[in-house]
Amino acid sequence: MTNPDLSQIQSYLTSANQILILTSQNPTMDGLGASLSLYLSLLAAGKKVNVACAAPTTVEFNHLVGIDKVSSDLPSGNFVISLDYVEGAIEKVSYNILGDKFNLVIEPKVGAPSFSADKVKYSAGSATADLVFVIDCLNLEQLGKFSTGQSDLFTKTTVFNIDYH
């Protein structure tokens, strides 16, 4: 969407549950200040919001209110556990929590091949958001590491780019 009016932005903000604010990997005082202002405003409006910068913020920015909320990582989606599967081999999947450990329990059907620990893989899901604001970036490449491997985030989510360049 190019040059939306304020009512369009308000409509997206009203319906968004999870909002992500991103700023340049080479942040400026203006860019971080604008990102944090938007973050604090949306937080005060009761929205779930994250703010991130690909590079860690330096001491020059430490007087900005909310600077401790800027993450150098994207909020991840689901945690995914993958293992080889043969159709009909699982009897039941459950979980339990013992102390501070979460245990995923996979019960194989009688006679089915057993699962092997060396075949288990895990990954963090891609970042998810209902709405993304990119602040102080001429293009997505200026987001640094955030611009790679996140195609769904930028193609399937509404993105507003606020920039003076």
Side-chain angles (χ1 to χ4, degrees):
M1 176 181 299
T2 57
N3 299 323
D5 64 37
L6 288 178
S7 65
Q8 290 172 308
I9 295 172
Q10 185 176 16
S11 173
Y12 280 101
L13 282 170
T14 300
S15 63
N17 292 315
Q18 182 65 47
I19 301 169
L20 178 60
I21 302 167
L22 303 173
T23 193
S24 172
Q25 68 177 342
N26 298 309
T28 64
M29 191 68 70
D30 290 342
L32 269 175
S35 298
L36 288 169
S37 294
L38 182 58
Y39 167 80
L40 293 168
S41 297
L42 293 172
L43 205 60
K47 295 293 183 180
K48 293 179 186 169
V49 59
N50 291 290
V51 59
C53 176
T57 56
T58 57
V59 71
E60 71 183 287
F61 302 113
N62 71 351
H63 68 282
L64 292 173
V65 174
I67 194 68
D68 60 319
K69 302 301 181 192
V70 177
S71 174
S72 58
D73 294 310
L74 290 176
S76 63
N78 296 330
F79 183 71
V80 179
I81 300 170
S82 303
L83 50 110
D84 293 342
Y85 174 71
V86 176
E87 184 69 35
I90 295 177
E91 180 69 35
K92 180 172 110 177
V93 177
S94 61
Y95 74 92
N96 62 57
I97 299 172
L98 297 173
D100 61 354
K101 298 292 181 198
F102 173 86
N103 300 296
L104 181 64
V105 182
I106 302 170
E107 182 182 329
K109 283 190 175 179
V110 175
S114 61
F115 296 104
S116 173
D118 63 328
K119 304 256 182 185
V120 176
K121 304 224 182 316
Y122 59 90
S123 63
S126 298
T128 59
D130 300 318
L131 183 60
V132 177
F133 285 93
V134 176
I135 309 293
D136 198 26
C137 291
L138 180 61
N139 53 47
L140 291 178
E141 288 73 33
Q142 289 184 333
L143 292 173
K145 67 182 181 181
F146 296 160
S147 66
T148 57
Q150 299 295 327
S151 61
D152 282 355
L153 181 66
F154 297 115
T155 59
K156 295 182 179 178
T157 307
T158 300
V159 178
F160 289 112
N161 183 22
I162 301 173
D163 181 57
Y164 70 93
H165 296 99

